Amino acid sequence: MSKLMSRLGGLIVMVSANAFAEYGFNMTKGVSSVARDIYGLHMMVFWICVAIALIVFSVMIYSLIVHRKSQGVVAANFHESTKAELLWTGIPIIILVLMAIPASSVLIDLEDTSKAQMTIKITGHQWKWQYDYPKEGISFISNLKQGSKDVIYSGNRHKNYLLEVDNNLVLPVDTPIRFLITSNDVIHSWWVPDFGVKQDANPGFINDAWVQIDEIGIYRGQCTELCGKDHGFMPIVVDVVSKADYAKWVSKQQAAKAVTLAKSSKTWGEEELISLGQKVYNTSCASCHGITGKGIPGVFPALKGSPIATGDIKKHISIVLHGKTGTAMAGYKNMLGDSDIAAVITFERTAFGNQMGDLIQPAQIKAAR
Amino acid sequence: MTTVTDHTDDGHHGPEKGLMRWIKTTNHKDIGSLYLWFAFVMLLIGGAMAMVIRMELFQPGMQLSEPQFFNQMTTMHGLIMVFGAVMPAFVGLGNWLIPMMIGAPDMALPRMNNWSFWILPFAGGILLSTFFMEGGAPAFGWTFYAPLSTTFAPDSTDFFIFAVHLLGFSSIMGAINIIATVLNMRAPEMKLMDMPLFVWTWLITSFLLIGAMPVLAGAVTMMLTDRNFGTAFFDATGGGDPVLFQHIFWFFGHPEVYIMILPAFGVVSHIIPTFARKPLFGYSSMVYASASIAFLSYIVWGHHMFSTGMPVAGELYFMYATMLIAVPTGVKVFNWVSTMWRGSMTFETPMLWAISFVFLFTIGGFSGLMLGIVPADIQYQDTYFVVAHFHYVLVTGALWAIIAATFYWLPKWTGKMYNETLAKVHFWWAVISVNVLFFPQHFLGLAGMPRRIPDYSLQFADFNMISSIGGFAFGASFILFTYILIDCIRNGKPADARPWEGAKGLEWTLEPKAQYHSFNIPPTKVLIEQESQNS
Amino acid sequence: MNEQEYYIPSGTYWPIIGSVGIATLFVGFANQMHGASWGGSIMVFGFAILVFMMFGWFGQVVKESTSGKYNSQVDRSFRWGMSWFIFSEVMFFAAFFGALFYARQLSVPWLGGADNNVFTPELWDGFSATWQQIAFNTPGATLQSGTAVSVPTQLVDVWGLPALNTALLLLSGVTLTFAHHALRADHRNKIIGWLVATIVLGVLFLGFQIAEYGHAYHDGLKLTSGIYGSTFYMLTGFHGFHVTVGVIMLTVILYRVQKGHFSADNHFGFEGVAWYWHFVDVVWLGLFIFVYWL
Ligand code: HEA
Ligand code: HEA
Ligand code: CUA
Ligand SMILES: [Cu+2]
């Protein structure tokens, strides 16, 4: 009976889901050979389980219906059968062995990253991803897009809400790619379901994974290891493009880098600094120290009126550049450029009623590095 | 043999009066009741937290909590349900039932039994007090992975660590007591293979507890020193490894989940034969299956860590070992089905819970098996598919058995009968809503919703809403459950000594409301054999 | 009491007092670590309650036992209780031994690039994966927790004090067994002699262990010396703590022998402590082999 009920529940669920056909029920087939292999395994095991369940539950339901006292049945008295017991120990073992064989071969393929032709290094931070292309000399941080942040507490949530970032990871199609995955603080996990890649980012160790993507498109994923407050807000967006577009993208990035470098050698005005600073603050710092600089007591200190943000400027620069070991405060030396850091410090010393009024120039940051 | 109690006012075999009775008691029934009430209160507290989780997840966006608070809810919900509700409930059942089932007057070490219980409220108090500390309650998941729980956690974490130490002491003492009781207080004529299955499964569970809980104590001790004294167990900068924490935790954690299910297997193995009016099928294979499950549970912990970057050989090994557990568990399921086969069944409330246990636990077991396939687990790990799996085995497994046991033995505990009609209404309400609650979570997980997130993107909205509605309905069923219990205790009609027609077991030979000291005189060989499940 | 009767002890306040004590101890300790000036005193207070509880509880049990209230069934329950308690202690140590093996066989080599961690060394320039003196990327490095790493300048000398200590503990196991034989044969003076010898050996062990700590510490081996220092001090430290408890228990037993509490066939208290002592002994052998020697 309860079986019936659970089926009924499933049915209700199914009907409601059909109205939104794009909302998945099942695992994605994905866009890589690994993902497809996994999908195949998943379905195989699933159907085996369904088959066994059908047999076991049918026997049970039959018995529930027929062998009732109210039907006038008198209980039998058997309570042993070595034959039956051997059978239902042996058959499952055979089934399990049959399942283990393909599973092992997929696993071995999945873990072999030696075919890769290019390498991307992925570093998890609380709560953003950093992507490095070591060969190409490209490096950037990928944050949850402001558009999603703005509507978390209210407003119209659009398609891809929480699954969009400011800087997509860009990858070429049809290329075996190796990911080197690590973390700068706690454990994160980098997961893009369509690739069939989920790998923990462990601080101090580098894990690897690989994928060869077959289709151009945009693929989304999320951090899947609880990594603190904003674990739910560190999505992954991968833009898979043709090899030619990828090459174009790479050279554009390299050119952009030169522009940023040039910017950091000029002297900035107050307004410029503060408006950039606010932008940087909101993307990089507000997740901990709060939009209003109040932090979370006992976890993240307030910057509003903080002794450092209203005190010695050297200390302020130092903590932003180098962070503080033993706390969640990471060093931003390798994550932000000189102008960004100068701007955010200037902002912190002016905003939240911290009326220090001093301007920090990129050159000062460069000198302090 | 007869029983001597060491009361100052010698000769009385009844309890003292007032509050002191409960604080000083050495009586297994008193202590069992304390455990059960404690577990019940914790279930409501942990359940209330689950309601907060389900409310926040009712629709996309953050409505009633902050992310940090949500993580505290998830974490404390898991911790309280596991350590506060399910484990103490089974210890409570063990306390109440084991002496009655083995023909003993009481537990072997009654004073230690008292201490095992009376540590719990202190541990629970310390754990809950972290909510009021700066930085808030633990927010790193019930699995408290380092370094989120070490370097990156607030000061209140040290209180959490000590609470876990206390819970560990309590469980270890409880387990020692049960081993000593089963091995030493058994009626002289009762052979091991005469013991009822609940006693067997608890005995095996005790070995799991004694083996696993000290390892948990070691894990939190390492956390403590990493946090405060500069050791580097989980810190790569010093040659340690955050993943080491996971190995130690799951060396405890996996046996822990079987600690929560083995006694449940025991309970179900009593209820099904009773209402099928037919002896339990395959008594001895049940015993061996339980022992194999327990043994295997010590060597499969790595299946929680398939995405941590273990070497392939390790992953293969843990996959094979994990899959093996399906075999003895299958033996149990098949035995239950065979027990029902050609029985003469009636469907009183305990039987309804037991039958639905077999269905729903099996579903949970199958999803467990799917999780055990490493490549597939890469896609499942840390998604709602896992959440669905473990609620099927924990809620419709462990909790189901606890509720089944409550209805089954309530007449023996209170001497009164509960309201059968209401109880049936409660059952159907619960069993339907629990599936609405947890079944859609499979889909959520497969579609890619990670667990432990306070907010989600739009494609997960529908199933989350369905799940939440099921959750509220299931939560409300506990109001009825509470009413049924209180109604039974207050106004229940007197019950027979053996209220179930097909029930076997020494406990039913006692008075309708079991006397304060169960067996002052050990049962005779004839009686034991007559009441044995193994015949 | 009659062998034909079950014995159920009376209710008692000791457990609840114990709970209050241990909770007070922990709450005090936690506050102490977070810099509350009163934390330490609360901790001591909690400890005092705990000691009071133990004296009271064990005292009551001893009184009941000597007044003949217990029969052999109670005795057996105590035995089962003590043996499984010791087993749980074994598992506690196993967690730390496990950490040691893991670090040594897996995590340290991984940091150096072993197995599937070929890329890991990218994070650690200048790292050398040598056990005991793990050298970290830069001198003056700090752990995640912010404490400075202390790199030992010298290895612990296995065949000095540690070897001597092994001999002492093994010997103490033998003397304790002699005491037990003497107890079985009811030779009171002999029991006392052998017991005293055991206690003296235990105290000597502790003394040498402290001296040994002094040397190691002087050579820069500290709790903060990375995973080797962590496992070294946590394992030997917990062991030392157990030896201390063992010595205290032996002393209590000595006192009880003098009081004439034990008879040739009824002396569970003695045996329980003896088991405990042998367990401490065996753990030391593990330590000697895996921490000091190999
Ligand atoms: C009572 C608790 C309980 C029980 C009994 C189980 C039972 C099982 N569990 Fe589960 N599990 C949990 C509680 C439990 N689990 C919890 C709490 C977590 C999450 C922890 C966290 O991360 O927070 C978890 C997570 C978990 C994972 C990790 C998922 C992940 O994080 O990626 C895995 C992976 O292998 C797993 C596997 C299994 C298996 C193989 C069983 C098996 O024992 C199931 C065996 C039963 C059957 C298979 C059904 C009956 C058998 C038959 C009818 C015979 C025929 C069958 C065949 C031949 C197929 N479990
Ligand atoms: C035996 C253990 C157990 C039990 C019984 C439950 C019971 C429930 N659990 Fe779960 N749960 C866990 C163990 C358990 N859980 C664990 C270990 C985790 C993992 C934690 C982690 O990730 O670290 C988890 C995580 C978990 C999550 C995932 C959270 C996340 O990943 O962020 C969710 C989400 O839906 C959930 C829901 C529920 C619900 C709705 C119930 C319901 O069954 C609860 C029903 C009970 C009540 C509702 C209480 C009684 C009623 C009242 C108090 C009356 C008032 C009620 C109303 C307001 C209606 N639980
Ligand atoms: Cu990063 Cu979760
Ligand atoms: Cu497990």
Side-chain angles (χ1 to χ4, degrees):
Chain A
M1 204 50 187
S2 74
K3 159 76 172 161
L4 211 145
M5 285 305 158
S6 78
R7 280 242 203 90
L8 220 75
L11 211 76
I12 296 168
V13 167
M14 240 181 278
V15 170
S16 79
N18 274 344
F20 310 89
E22 66 175 298
Y23 299 164
F25 257 101
N26 199 355
M27 184 187 286
T28 167
K29 285 201 184 73
V31 293
S32 73
S33 60
V34 167
R36 273 190 301 272
D37 287 347
I38 292 177
Y39 177 81
L41 269 182
H42 158 71
M43 291 317 286
M44 175 194 79
V45 183
F46 172 71
W47 286 117
I48 292 178
C49 289
V50 169
I52 299 174
L54 273 179
I55 298 170
V56 178
F57 292 169
S58 316
V59 172
M60 198 164 148
I61 290 171
Y62 176 85
S63 174
L64 290 180
I65 293 171
V66 176
H67 303 142
R68 292 168 174 254
K69 194 180 178 201
S70 57
Q71 308 280 308
V73 180
V74 180
N77 199 30
F78 64 88
H79 54 85
E80 245 165 15
S81 160
T82 317
K83 226 196 270 162
E85 303 213 29
L86 281 179
L87 218 60
W88 66 49
T89 318
I91 295 176
I93 292 180
I94 295 168
I95 297 176
L96 291 173
V97 171
L98 291 179
M99 271 158 48
I101 294 168
S104 308
S105 77
V106 173
L107 177 63
I108 288 165
D109 173 50
L110 181 116
E111 293 282 356
D112 175 14
T113 67
S114 60
K115 316 181 246 316
Q117 288 169 12
M118 62 176 282
T119 297
I120 307 279
K121 186 173 170 214
I122 301 171
T123 310
H125 298 270
Q126 279 181 325
W127 294 282
K128 52 199 163 243
W129 295 99
Q130 176 179 357
Y131 298 110
D132 292 283
Y133 298 62
K135 262 234 202 82
E136 293 79 0
I138 299 171
S139 170
F140 57 88
I141 303 265
S142 178
N143 286 290
L144 174 64
K145 206 173 195 166
Q146 192 63 39
S148 276
K149 282 190 201 167
D150 291 339
V151 293
I152 287 173
Y153 290 91
S154 63
N156 282 329
R157 285 174 268 274
H158 39 275
K159 191 167 180 272
N160 294 330
Y161 165 66
L162 290 187
L163 291 180
E164 43 177 14
V165 296
D166 52 1
N167 297 306
N168 295 354
L169 172 65
V170 180
L171 296 176
V173 76
D174 291 333
T175 315
I177 304 165
R178 171 195 290 124
F179 300 115
L180 299 185
I181 300 172
T182 185
S183 162
N184 196 40
D185 37 49
V186 300
I187 303 176
H188 304 266
S189 190
W190 196 82
W191 182 36
V192 178
D194 285 308
F195 297 175
V197 172
K198 181 186 282 152
Q199 190 57 257
D200 284 4
N202 298 328
F205 293 83
I206 295 183
N207 277 326
D208 55 351
W210 77 278
V211 68
Q212 171 168 344
I213 307 147
D214 300 340
E215 279 173 46
I216 291 174
I218 292 187
Y219 303 102
R220 297 169 200 275
Q222 275 173 279
C223 175
T224 45
E225 183 62 61
L226 178 59
C227 52
K229 178 171 81 70
D230 282 354
H231 159 62
F233 306 94
M234 56 185 288
I236 296 156
V237 183
V238 189
D239 202 350
V240 177
V241 297
S242 69
K243 287 184 182 171
D245 286 348
Y246 175 71
K248 263 188 246 156
W249 178 82
V250 168
S251 41
K252 217 174 97 195
Q253 290 298 306
Q254 283 162 343
K257 210 168 122 189
V259 176
T260 341
L261 264 173
K263 263 199 206 154
S264 68
S265 51
K266 72 163 192 177
T267 307
W268 292 51
E270 180 174 352
E271 238 159 72
E272 232 182 336
L273 274 176
I274 290 183
S275 77
L276 176 64
Q278 176 152 31
K279 229 180 87 200
V280 175
Y281 182 84
N282 286 347
T283 42
S284 297
C285 322
S287 53
C288 295
H289 296 294
I291 294 278
T292 55
K294 288 207 188 101
I296 298 180
V299 188
F300 306 118
L303 295 182
K304 187 180 162 81
S306 107
I308 291 183
T310 61
D312 187 357
I313 194 144
K314 281 217 191 75
K315 275 197 190 144
H316 195 163
I317 296 179
S318 160
I319 196 164
V320 179
L321 277 180
H322 307 294
K324 185 163 174 195
T325 29
T327 72
M329 181 64 202
Y332 281 80
K333 203 168 83 184
N334 300 324
M335 288 191 264
L336 296 176
D338 293 341
S339 12
D340 285 349
I341 294 185
V344 78
I345 294 178
T346 308
F347 171 73
E348 282 177 352
R349 297 175 79 81
T350 327
F352 326 128
N354 293 349
Q355 285 155 338
M356 297 303 291
D358 34 8
L359 300 191
I360 290 92
Q361 292 297 337
Q364 279 169 275
I365 305 296
K366 199 167 186 175
R369 268 177 199 266
Chain B
M1 283 197 199
T2 54
T3 301
V4 183
T5 42
D6 194 27
H7 288 297
T8 32
D9 55 341
D10 241 8
H12 288 283
H13 286 213
E16 284 186 47
K17 293 281 173 302
L19 179 67
M20 285 312 141
R21 161 179 177 188
W22 300 102
I23 287 184
K24 289 173 65 178
T25 182
T26 49
N27 180 274
H28 74 102
K29 298 194 178 69
D30 286 352
I31 295 172
S33 302
L34 284 170
Y35 264 112
L36 287 171
W37 282 115
F38 177 82
F40 190 65
V41 170
M42 283 298 178
L43 176 74
L44 295 187
I45 296 176
M49 289 174 185
M51 293 299 110
V52 175
I53 294 174
R54 280 321 325 166
M55 274 189 253
E56 181 58 66
L57 295 177
F58 188 69
Q59 47 174 303
M62 298 298 296
Q63 282 83 23
L64 40 104
S65 62
E66 290 292 320
Q68 184 74 12
F69 183 73
F70 180 89
N71 290 348
Q72 294 176 19
M73 284 292 120
T74 296
T75 306
M76 291 294 268
H77 162 69
L79 287 170
I80 287 180
M81 285 301 197
V82 169
F83 293 106
V86 173
M87 288 172 71
F90 278 125
V91 183
L93 290 174
N95 254 302
W96 252 103
L97 298 171
I98 290 174
M100 301 201 292
M101 288 179 166
I102 60 174
D106 208 303
M107 299 289 281
L109 301 160
R111 284 188 190 136
M112 195 170 85
N113 200 14
N114 174 304
W115 202 20
S116 305
F117 173 75
W118 277 109
I119 281 183
L120 277 186
F122 291 85
I126 292 178
L127 191 59
L128 287 172
S129 74
T130 54
F131 271 113
F132 306 101
M133 294 178 192
E134 200 177 49
F140 29 64
W142 84 282
T143 51
F144 48 102
Y145 283 4
L148 186 59
S149 62
T150 54
T151 314
F152 297 88
D155 283 354
S156 66
T157 307
D158 293 316
F159 289 89
F160 154 80
I161 289 172
F162 288 134
V164 172
H165 273 128
L166 291 179
L167 292 165
F169 288 151
S170 162
S171 298
I172 292 169
M173 287 194 293
I176 290 175
N177 212 340
I178 287 178
I179 294 179
T181 305
V182 174
L183 296 183
N184 192 33
M185 302 294 281
R186 224 164 54 241
E189 299 290 347
M190 182 181 263
K191 295 189 293 292
L192 281 176
M193 284 315 248
D194 280 331
M195 294 195 316
L197 266 171
F198 181 74
V199 178
W200 258 117
T201 52
W202 239 120
L203 178 66
I204 293 166
T205 303
S206 303
F207 291 117
L208 287 180
L209 278 169
I210 294 184
M213 294 309 286
V215 176
L216 176 68
V220 290
T221 307
M222 290 179 213
M223 260 174 79
L224 187 78
T225 57
D226 264 19
R227 286 171 52 80
N228 299 294
F229 305 109
T231 57
F233 288 106
F234 311 131
D235 181 353
T237 346
D241 184 353
V243 175
L244 169 61
F245 175 85
Q246 299 180 28
H247 281 288
I248 301 176
F249 179 85
W250 288 115
F251 183 85
F252 146 81
H254 189 81
E256 168 68 18
V257 305
Y258 291 95
I259 287 167
M260 293 187 281
I261 205 68
L262 281 178
F265 290 165
V267 167
V268 171
S269 305
H270 282 247
I271 295 175
I272 290 184
T274 294
F275 297 98
R277 292 171 179 73
K278 191 164 151 274
L280 180 68
F281 189 89
Y283 170 91
S284 44
S285 65
M286 285 297 216
V287 173
Y288 300 135
S290 305
S292 329
I293 291 173
F295 169 75
L296 288 171
S297 79
Y298 274 121
I299 57 168
V300 300
W301 75 89
H303 66 214
H304 297 271
M305 303 168 57
F306 287 146
S307 62
T308 56
M310 250 193 275
V312 189
E315 292 184 329
L316 284 172
Y317 160 73
F318 281 121
M319 171 165 74
Y320 302 147
T322 300
M323 292 169 83
L324 265 187
I325 297 197
V327 176
T329 317
V331 167
K332 298 210 144 232
V333 172
F334 300 137
N335 280 345
W336 291 321
V337 175
S338 312
T339 305
M340 288 186 251
W341 188 255
R342 294 185 50 212
S344 166
M345 278 189 272
T346 52
F347 300 95
E348 285 87 342
T349 309
M351 182 64 162
L352 291 176
W353 289 92
I355 292 173
S356 62
F357 169 98
V358 178
F359 277 116
L360 300 173
F361 171 79
T362 304
I363 293 176
F366 283 139
S367 59
L369 189 74
M370 295 170 77
L371 290 167
I373 307 292
V374 185
D377 183 63
I378 300 280
Q379 296 281 38
Y380 307 137
Q381 203 266 333
D382 261 329
T383 66
Y384 263 78
F385 191 80
V386 178
V387 176
H389 157 64
F390 68 71
H391 282 99
Y392 266 86
V393 281
L394 280 173
V395 178
T396 59
L399 187 62
W400 244 231
I402 292 166
I403 297 175
T406 305
F407 283 114
Y408 186 61
W409 281 292
L410 200 55
K412 187 52 57 188
W413 299 340
T414 60
K416 295 175 185 169
M417 208 58 196
Y418 58 84
N419 182 329
E420 186 71 39
T421 320
L422 275 184
K424 281 198 167 132
V425 171
H426 170 234
F427 167 76
W428 287 108
W429 181 352
V431 80
I432 293 168
S433 58
V434 84
N435 281 293
V436 179
L437 165 58
F438 292 122
F439 207 77
Q441 294 186 355
H442 291 111
F443 305 137
L444 282 172
L446 292 175
M449 179 168 160
R451 60 192 279 210
R452 296 166 168 170
I453 57 174
D455 191 8
Y456 48 83
S457 47
L458 305 185
Q459 84 236 45
F460 305 125
D462 298 298
F463 288 137
N464 266 303
M465 190 177 285
I466 295 169
S467 173
S468 286
I469 291 170
F472 303 144
F474 183 59
S477 77
F478 281 84
I479 299 170
L480 181 55
F481 183 52
T482 313
Y483 173 78
I484 296 170
L485 292 184
I486 292 174
D487 177 60
C488 170
I489 294 167
R490 288 253 180 96
N491 318 317
K493 292 202 193 70
D496 294 337
R498 196 187 297 262
W500 316 116
E501 189 187 17
K504 262 191 183 182
L506 288 173
E507 71 269 29
W508 307 113
T509 64
L510 296 171
E511 286 160 26
K513 176 177 174 11
Q515 50 269 51
Y516 200 55
H517 292 291
S518 306
F519 285 89
N520 291 321
I521 299 164
T524 59
K525 189 168 174 159
V526 175
L527 190 63
I528 289 170
E529 272 166 12
Q530 204 177 314
E531 297 292 344
S532 166
Q533 284 188 305
N534 185 17
S535 60
Chain C
M1 116 182 210
N2 194 330
E3 282 300 319
Q4 290 310 309
E5 282 172 345
Y6 287 116
Y7 173 76
I8 311 286
S10 62
T12 140
Y13 288 111
W14 296 120
I16 193 92
I17 292 173
S19 295
V20 171
I22 200 164
T24 312
L25 172 71
F26 279 164
V27 169
F29 190 16
N31 278 297
Q32 169 73 20
M33 286 185 299
H34 303 147
S37 53
W38 45 268
S41 347
I42 294 288
M43 199 177 144
V44 172
F45 181 59
F47 187 68
I49 300 179
L50 216 54
V51 171
F52 171 69
M53 179 277 282
M54 284 199 238
F55 269 98
W57 190 337
F58 290 137
Q60 186 176 0
V61 171
V62 168
K63 217 185 290 155
E64 286 168 3
S65 170
T66 46
S67 65
K69 284 189 177 169
Y70 295 171
N71 58 9
S72 61
Q73 186 171 40
V74 176
D75 189 67
R76 272 198 309 277
S77 290
F78 284 165
R79 276 159 205 274
W80 281 119
M82 189 67 190
S83 22
W84 289 106
F85 166 70
I86 289 176
F87 179 72
S88 77
E89 292 260 54
V90 171
M91 291 308 291
F92 181 75
F93 275 98
F96 287 88
F97 274 109
L100 173 76
F101 297 146
Y102 181 91
R104 202 166 164 180
Q105 300 301 325
L106 300 173
S107 70
V108 171
W110 281 347
L111 288 167
D115 251 342
N116 62 345
N117 272 262
V118 278
F119 298 102
T120 295
E122 277 183 24
L123 297 172
W124 307 100
D125 35 314
F127 175 84
S128 77
T130 40
W131 186 238
Q132 299 208 358
Q133 282 168 305
I134 306 164
F136 298 96
N137 44 352
T138 41
T142 56
L143 296 172
Q144 252 175 28
S145 55
T147 0
V149 175
S150 157
V151 182
T153 53
Q154 237 174 346
L155 299 184
V156 180
D157 173 21
V158 193
W159 299 111
L161 285 178
L164 179 62
N165 263 345
T166 309
L168 288 180
L169 264 198
L170 287 180
L171 198 60
S172 76
V174 176
T175 53
L176 188 58
T177 308
F178 284 155
H180 193 193
H181 281 303
L183 179 55
R184 287 246 195 80
D186 232 350
H187 285 158
R188 234 171 41 125
N189 288 338
K190 270 198 195 160
I191 310 172
I192 291 174
W194 288 119
L195 260 183
V196 170
T198 312
I199 292 171
V200 169
L201 287 169
V203 172
L204 269 179
F205 172 90
L206 283 173
F208 285 134
Q209 195 64 2
I210 290 169
E212 160 79 21
Y213 272 14
H215 287 306
Y217 204 78
H218 183 255
D219 295 339
L221 181 62
K222 300 181 180 166
L223 257 185
T224 53
S225 298
I227 187 70
Y228 178 69
S230 310
T231 48
F232 177 86
Y233 281 108
M234 293 300 280
L235 274 164
T236 54
F238 270 114
H239 177 261
F241 170 74
H242 280 78
V243 176
T244 312
V245 173
V247 166
I248 294 171
M249 297 198 313
L250 283 172
T251 314
V252 172
I253 291 300
L254 177 65
Y255 170 81
R256 289 188 58 194
V257 168
Q258 275 169 338
K259 283 262 172 177
H261 283 174
F262 300 119
S263 68
D265 45 30
N266 187 4
H267 50 257
F268 164 73
F270 183 98
E271 275 185 65
V273 172
W275 293 345
Y276 190 81
W277 191 255
H278 289 312
F279 146 71
V280 169
D281 224 3
V282 171
V283 171
W284 174 261
L285 279 183
L287 284 179
F288 180 69
I289 294 170
F290 294 113
V291 178
Y292 287 100
W293 187 5
L294 295 181

